[in-house]
Amino acid sequence: MRTRTRPVEATTSEAAFTTFADVVEPRLRRAYVGWCGVDAAHDATAEALAWAWQHWDRVSAMKNPLGYLYRVGQTQTRARKQGRMPAPAELGLPQVEPELIPALRALPDQQRAAVWLVHACAFTYAECGEAMGISASAVGTHVRRGLDALRARLGGTTPDASTTDPPRRPKTGDRTDTGGTS
Amino acid sequence: MSPNLDVIDQLSQYGNRVGDGVKPVRAADVLRTATTSASRNELHPVTTQPADIEEHEAYVTPLPARRPPAPWLGIAAGVLVVALVGGAITVARGGDGGLGTGSDDSVVSTLATSVVDDPPTLGDCPGCEWYGLPTDDAIAKAEAEGREWRIAHEDGEDFTLALDLRDRRVDFWITNGIVTFVHIESLSAAYDPDYLPEGVQNLDDTGYLGLTLNDAMYQSGQDGLTTCEVTQPNGQTPAIHCEPPAGDDELHLYVDEAGLVIAIARR
């Protein structure tokens, strides 16, 4: 059967986008700090959200818009990688090891991104995989290796695997479609 | 390291706090910018003023004034045109004089070449066979071929499409009832992180998923397995050295564009 999706009304779109942005914006902003530092994170977030509004029809239909927009902001922003990240003391976090940030920045790119997005920004593996353009299983490997390297450098112990993994969303078989099948 | 906090907890605390130091982006600003101006640059206003061109005037060398053409130039041009036309007429009549110094054969072959040239044809573009079909015919064709289909655009109206790729699905652009553009979707590891080649059973128990190819090969050697074949996202299987030399239990690794292992088959 041939079906088509009607375009969303403008006012409805604006309201939906505002709700969406309220939820996604803080997470994107935080995620970009790990990529380009605090000085460029605002620009990257603004680029990503501007793109999201310009392509709202597409974004609103995405299963995983957060990870996708993270990549959009990266490509739309000519940011300097590894921008400034404040020391934990600057943020009033005395319990956080001062060496954590230098150790994080010393990780290989993929491991650093995976560890940052999953454990500092609470991305799911699926969101992180979309953001990095890799599979969820690859994210798990990078996270595991990155955490191992951080603990080796900072002298921590390795907890159970169950505590290192974030909650993973169950796979669903439903696929919304606007077209027909044979 | 702090005695009570694991790395994960420290990362979580740091991540929760670090975003506070970045100026938030308000949805209202995004909407206002998109509504009032097509340029997204308003989100990042330019603070430096454009340079005043008068400041650079002293550095610009003016072009010399153009002189009018000399009267004799027109006469010479007229003579040249007459000579060329006369020569061409002589050649066409098969004469030996004038500008035609070549043989009759050369003239014939030149004319023949211009006539025999193949007219331009449509190339083998992807989806060429769909272009120009009426909408109903295109849909019928898709369904006859067992393809899923969607209409992405019709007479200036974009339809909301899910970004889930389906292998062989056709997305149509329709104008006045005619297909004017198509996009044929195809799955590959480059686009779908969960894509697995047909017939491949993923052996997640090896623990090699997500490793680089070199690491996976090295690890398989450590585990007493043999890796002899690799398939890239484009389907190519470049020759590689077995690691270690071929044994009974061989692995076939599939890597994505980043060179990371996404699937493993045991041969």
Side-chain angles (χ1 to χ4, degrees):
Chain A
M1 180 178 171
R2 176 178 166 185
T3 60
R4 296 172 185 171
T5 303
R6 292 179 181 278
V8 183
E9 295 296 330
T11 52
T12 308
S13 293
E14 290 186 3
F17 175 77
T18 302
T19 305
F20 170 80
D22 288 345
V23 174
V24 165
E25 190 271 343
R27 302 188 68 192
L28 276 177
R29 182 162 26 108
R30 196 197 314 181
Y32 284 131
V33 171
W35 175 63
C36 57
V38 291
D39 299 323
H42 170 81
D43 287 354
T45 308
E47 290 288 0
L49 288 179
W51 190 94
W53 173 238
Q54 289 180 337
H55 302 82
W56 180 239
D57 283 352
R58 288 172 56 188
V59 173
S60 60
M62 287 180 182
K63 287 181 180 176
N64 185 5
L66 179 66
Y68 193 90
L69 289 180
Y70 177 81
R71 274 202 286 176
V72 168
Q74 285 184 316
T75 56
Q76 300 271 337
T77 308
R78 290 184 176 181
R80 182 164 49 93
K81 283 187 179 180
Q82 295 258 6
R84 186 179 71 86
M85 295 177 73
E90 292 180 45
L91 303 176
L93 298 171
Q95 286 190 309
V96 176
E97 175 67 40
E99 278 300 306
L100 175 68
I101 303 308
L104 183 69
R105 304 180 76 141
L107 294 177
D109 287 348
Q110 298 265 53
Q111 291 181 19
R112 184 180 65 251
V115 167
W116 175 258
L117 293 177
V118 169
H119 287 299
C121 305
F123 277 40
T124 64
Y125 278 7
E127 288 170 337
C128 184
E130 177 71 46
M132 296 175 63
I134 60 177
S135 65
S137 58
V139 170
T141 302
H142 289 311
V143 167
R144 178 168 48 82
R145 292 186 164 201
L147 289 178
D148 288 348
L150 287 178
R151 290 190 181 107
R153 177 162 171 171
L154 300 177
T157 57
T158 304
D160 296 338
S162 58
T163 62
T164 63
D165 294 340
R168 301 177 72 168
R169 294 174 183 169
K171 285 191 174 181
T172 56
D174 60 327
R175 290 194 171 200
T176 55
D177 189 21
T178 57
T181 57
S182 57
Chain B
M1 171 177 281
S2 302
N4 298 326
L5 287 182
D6 181 56
V7 167
I8 293 174
D9 298 322
Q10 295 187 50
L11 284 166
S12 178
Q13 283 196 10
Y14 183 85
N16 281 334
R17 193 67 65 84
V18 74
D20 298 343
V22 180
K23 180 186 173 187
V25 179
R26 296 185 308 159
D29 292 339
V30 177
L31 290 172
R32 178 183 54 81
T33 305
T35 304
T36 57
S37 169
S39 170
R40 288 181 285 112
N41 291 334
E42 284 194 10
L43 285 173
H44 317 289
V46 178
T47 54
T48 54
Q49 295 298 318
D52 186 350
I53 196 168
E54 291 181 1
E55 295 176 3
H56 305 283
E57 194 173 8
Y59 303 100
V60 178
T61 304
L63 290 173
R66 190 174 181 179
R67 293 184 303 175
W72 58 267
L73 198 57
I75 299 172
V79 171
L80 184 60
V81 168
V82 170
L84 286 175
V85 171
I89 292 173
T90 306
V91 168
R93 287 178 178 173
D96 295 332
L99 296 175
T101 56
S103 66
D104 290 349
D105 291 342
S106 67
V107 176
V108 172
S109 66
T110 302
L111 293 173
T113 301
S114 62
V115 172
V116 172
D117 279 346
D118 292 333
T121 57
L122 287 175
D124 296 327
C125 63
C128 257
E129 67 273 22
W130 303 91
Y131 289 85
L133 290 180
T135 306
D136 291 340
D137 290 356
I139 291 171
K141 175 177 167 60
E143 294 184 346
E145 294 180 5
R147 297 174 184 268
E148 297 181 41
W149 57 268
R150 298 187 297 188
I151 294 180
H153 180 100
E154 188 168 26
D155 296 334
E157 185 179 16
D158 285 315
F159 297 105
T160 304
L161 299 180
L163 284 183
D164 57 328
L165 287 177
R166 307 276 188 93
D167 204 18
R168 301 180 69 245
R169 180 167 62 186
V170 192
D171 297 331
F172 295 116
W173 272 250
I174 307 291
T175 304
N176 296 327
I178 300 294
V179 175
T180 54
F181 183 75
V182 298
H183 173 244
I184 300 177
E185 302 174 26
S186 63
L187 285 183
S188 77
Y191 296 103
D192 185 353
D194 295 325
Y195 169 73
L196 283 180
E198 188 175 357
V200 171
Q201 182 183 5
N202 215 345
L203 301 175
D204 206 358
D205 59 333
T206 58
Y208 305 158
L209 295 181
L211 300 184
T212 64
L213 178 59
N214 286 339
D215 285 350
M217 292 183 66
Y218 173 79
Q219 193 60 45
S220 67
Q222 297 292 309
D223 295 343
L225 303 173
T226 300
T227 301
C228 277
E229 282 188 312
V230 173
T231 298
Q232 296 173 336
N234 57 13
Q236 293 182 348
T237 56
I240 60 172
H241 295 293
C242 291
E243 182 65 38
D248 294 334
D249 204 0
E250 296 182 9
L251 297 182
H252 187 130
L253 303 180
Y254 294 81
V255 298
D256 63 10
E257 287 197 330
L260 300 179
V261 175
I262 57 168
I264 303 166
R266 202 184 296 267
R267 299 171 64 85

